[in-house]
Each structure stands twice: as C-alpha cells, then as structure tokens.
C-alpha cells in the first residue's frame, strides 16, 4: 500500500485544488513539432510573400505615384490617381466606370444562374440513379478546359456568318442571323451562357459534397411529419447548405467580377465597349497604354468594391443562420 501511495502521490493536484503545471519535458517536443510545421509551410509562405504580398504593396505604392516604365524618377502624387477616377470628365473616369458597369451587369446576370443551376443539377445527381459518376464527369469536364479553348470552340459555334448554331436554327425555321457576338443584348446572352456552361461543374461538385453532408435522418423526420418535396427543400436542404451557399456565392461573385477571357476572345469587348469589363480596361491601360499608376488605382478600387460585397454577403448569410437558430 505504501508503494502504491508513493507512485500516485506525484499525480495529485497542488494545495488549493489547482492542477500541477505540465512538466517542461514535453516543451522541446512541442517546439520540435511546431518547427517541423513551419518548415513545411515555408515554401508556401515564401511564394505567398513573393507573388502576392510584395506585388500588392508595390501596386499600392505605384497607385500613389505617376509611375511609368519610361521614367527614371517616379514622383509621389498622393491620391491624385484615385481622385481622377471619381472626377467626371477626367481621362480615365468615364471609361473606367463604364467598364465597372459592364462588370456589374455580368455579375448580376451570371451569378444567379451559376448558383441555381448547379444546385438543381447537384440535387438530381444526389439521387440514386444509374451512371451517376458518369454524369458528374460530364458536367465537370468543361471546367478543366482553358479559356482559350472555350473561346475557340464557342467562337466557331456562335459566329454570325458561318456559325453552327445559326445554321441549325435556320434548318428548323428560326432566325439564322442572330448576332451572338456583335450586338446587344445577344452578347450578354453569349457571355453568360458560355460562362455557365464552362464553370457550373465546379459549383455542382461543391453542392453535391454539401448535400452528402446532410443527415438522412432529417429527411426521414420531415417525411414522418408529412413534409412534401418542396417543404423538405426549404426546411432541410437549404438550411443544411447555408455554409456551402455562402462559399459558392462569394467565390462566384469574385470569379464573375474577374471575367476577362470570355469577353476578350468572343466579343472583343464590343459592341462599343459594352462588354469591356473592368479587368479588360485595367489590363489595357496598364499593359497596352503603359498607364501603370492609374491602372493600379483602378485595381484597388475594384478590390475595395469586391471586399465590401463579400463582407455584406457574409453578414447577410450569418444573420440568416442566427435567425434560423432562434
């Protein structure tokens, strides 16, 4: 008994009921594990600092100067580049805000389709159907194609003079001269349709993963309570997908705001720069016109707008979750 008490005694708490501090013997092991973790993170941190943080800081400094690759000395101009963007009639203001409006139109029109259609497709694929894996592959396959490939394929299909789609429409007695890529509003139909076809596969897979995470017991309980299909969707599926919905909505808005390749390859920003997005205009000013400082200022204005939209989206989704819990 004395030996047992001697062995147990060191494990007891200190006087006053406070537990004894862990021995310092485990600290070197914990530090070693932390060091190993930082070593594995080091390559990513180096790349992140080199290609994200450093260019962001340099771009911010550039937007506060009259920076030009052809000038030896760069003068500090403060917020002048930003003031010019908000001054009607300035060199960059009108064209920049027109491109921002084109970006806004694309976001407003494309995002609902890129959320609703993938959700419906994911719900269908979540059913017990034959060849479900094959259908998932078919829906996801376009996403792995590059934007250049998408531009070439749909350029041939939608060409006004010799496009396959107009030819097929003519065969069935429909108008065969629809200006898919050269006139409004058809250019927007083209850009939104091609983007949805190209990128909906990723959102579908994410929604499908979210649906797999909803317990089947909830659907069984809803069935016992007499809930129909629509009631199950609104009371079980949508609440269960709220975190996924927040992620998909936010990332889709950001991706749509950065749309460049589709418009550049299919519509060339036309007609009359109607589909020239903010990214296209920034790239033209910075890379073609060598107006790097105004282009940097435009980039940060776009970044600020997207940050505000993302914060609002997250707050709205959080409020919905809190109301659901109450």
């Amino acid at each position: 008994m004395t030996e047992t008490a001697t062995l147990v005694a060191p494990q007891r708490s200190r006087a006053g009921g406070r537990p004894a501090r862990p021995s310092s013997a485990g600290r070197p092991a914990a530090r070693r594990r932390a060091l190993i973790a930082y070593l594995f993170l080091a390559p990513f941190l180096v790349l992140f600092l080199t290609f994200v943080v450093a260019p962001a800081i340099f771009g911010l400094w550039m937007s506060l100067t009259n920076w030009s690759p052809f000038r030896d000395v760069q003068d500090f101009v403060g917020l002048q580049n930003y003031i010019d963007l908000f001054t009607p009639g300035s060199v960059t203001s009108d064209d920049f805000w027109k491109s921002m409006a084109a970006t806004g139109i694309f976001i407003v029109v494309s995002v609902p389709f890129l959320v609703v259609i993938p959700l419906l497709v994911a719900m269908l694929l979540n059913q017990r159907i034959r060849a479900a894996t094959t259908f998932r592959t078919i829906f996801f396959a376009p996403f792995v194609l590059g934007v250049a490939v998408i531009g070439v394929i749909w350029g041939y299909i939608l060409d006004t003079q010799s496009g396959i789609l107009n030819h097929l429409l003519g065969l069935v007695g429909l108008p065969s001269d629809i200006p898919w890529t050269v006139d409004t509003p058809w250019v927007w139909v083209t850009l939104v349709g091609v983007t949805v076809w190209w990128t909906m596969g990723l959102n579908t897979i994410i929604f499908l993963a979210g649906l797999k995470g909803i317990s089947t017991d909830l659907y069984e309980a809803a069935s016992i309570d007499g809930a129909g299909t629509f009631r199950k969707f609104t009371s079980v599926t949508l609440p269960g997908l709220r975190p996924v919905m927040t992620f998909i909505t936010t990332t889709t808005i950001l991706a749509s705001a950065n749309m460049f390749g589709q418009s550049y390859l299919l519509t060339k920003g036309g007609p009359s720069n109607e589909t020239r997005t903010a990214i296209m205009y920034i790239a033209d000013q910075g890379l073609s016109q060598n107006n790097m400082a105004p282009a940097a200022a435009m980039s940060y204005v776009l970044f600020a707008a997207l940050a505000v939209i993302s914060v609002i989206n997250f707050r709205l989704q959080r409020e919905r979750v809190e109301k659901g819990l109450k």
Side-chain angles (χ1 to χ4, degrees):
M1 293 294 291
T2 304
E3 294 179 357
T4 304
T6 304
L7 293 173
V8 175
Q11 301 177 4
R12 293 179 180 175
S13 301
R14 290 183 176 181
R18 290 181 299 174
R21 293 181 180 179
S23 63
S24 59
R27 293 178 183 175
R31 292 175 180 174
R32 193 180 304 111
R33 288 195 295 269
L35 178 60
I36 293 174
Y38 283 120
L39 287 176
F40 276 103
L41 288 173
F44 169 77
L45 291 176
V46 171
L47 293 174
F48 180 76
L49 292 173
T50 303
F51 295 103
V52 177
V53 176
I57 295 175
F58 180 71
L60 181 60
W61 171 82
M62 186 186 299
S63 70
L64 302 175
T65 67
N66 61 351
W67 196 93
S68 172
F70 306 106
R71 187 180 294 111
D72 294 333
V73 179
Q74 317 299 335
D75 298 324
F76 182 79
V77 298
L79 299 177
Q80 188 59 49
N81 290 319
Y82 295 94
I83 294 173
D84 290 341
L85 293 179
F86 291 92
T87 303
S90 65
V91 177
T92 56
S93 176
D94 295 341
D95 288 336
F96 172 68
W97 290 110
K98 184 176 181 179
S99 68
M100 288 288 285
T103 302
I105 292 173
F106 183 77
I107 292 174
V108 171
V109 177
S110 66
V111 170
F113 288 104
L114 287 170
V115 173
V116 175
I117 295 178
L119 175 58
L120 296 177
V121 174
M123 293 179 63
L124 292 175
L125 295 177
N126 195 41
Q127 306 299 318
R128 295 180 180 179
I129 59 175
R130 293 182 179 180
T133 303
T134 302
F135 284 112
R136 294 174 196 169
T137 304
I138 292 173
F139 281 108
F140 187 75
F143 184 75
V144 303
L145 300 176
V147 66
V149 178
I150 298 299
V152 171
I153 292 175
W154 284 98
Y156 281 116
I157 294 175
L158 299 173
D159 185 83
T160 304
Q161 302 298 327
S162 58
I164 299 173
L165 182 57
N166 276 344
H167 177 70
L168 294 177
L169 292 176
L171 292 179
V172 296
L174 297 175
S176 59
D177 57 349
I178 298 177
W180 297 105
T181 59
V182 295
D183 197 9
T184 54
W186 300 106
V187 285
W188 290 116
V189 175
T190 295
L191 292 176
V192 172
V194 170
T195 302
V196 171
W197 175 84
W198 178 32
T199 61
M200 64 173 286
L202 179 63
N203 288 353
T204 300
I205 296 300
I206 298 175
F207 271 128
L208 188 59
L211 291 172
K212 296 295 184 182
I214 301 176
S215 176
T216 56
D217 295 339
L218 298 176
Y219 290 103
E220 293 176 0
S223 299
I224 294 174
D225 291 339
T229 302
F230 181 76
R231 184 66 176 175
K232 290 179 183 178
F233 175 75
T234 57
S235 300
V236 179
T237 304
L238 286 183
L241 288 177
R242 273 177 183 152
V244 177
M245 187 75 71
T246 302
F247 172 78
I248 287 181
T249 304
T250 304
T251 55
T252 302
I253 290 174
L254 297 179
S256 297
N258 288 280
M259 193 271 285
F260 174 83
Q262 302 95 295
S263 182
Y264 182 79
L265 294 171
L266 291 174
T267 66
K268 307 296 187 298
S272 301
N273 295 327
E274 291 290 333
T275 60
R276 183 175 64 177
T277 61
I279 295 296
M280 288 184 66
Y281 183 64
I282 292 171
D284 177 69
Q285 288 295 304
L287 302 178
S288 300
Q289 308 299 326
N290 291 315
N291 294 327
M292 298 296 293
M298 297 174 201
S299 300
Y300 277 93
V301 171
L302 177 61
F303 165 76
L306 295 179
V308 170
I309 293 173
S310 299
V311 170
I312 293 174
N313 183 46
F314 275 111
R315 289 183 65 87
L316 290 176
Q317 294 294 338
R318 186 175 64 182
E319 290 176 0
R320 290 178 183 176
V321 172
E322 291 176 352
K323 289 181 180 179
L325 293 176
K326 293 179 181 179

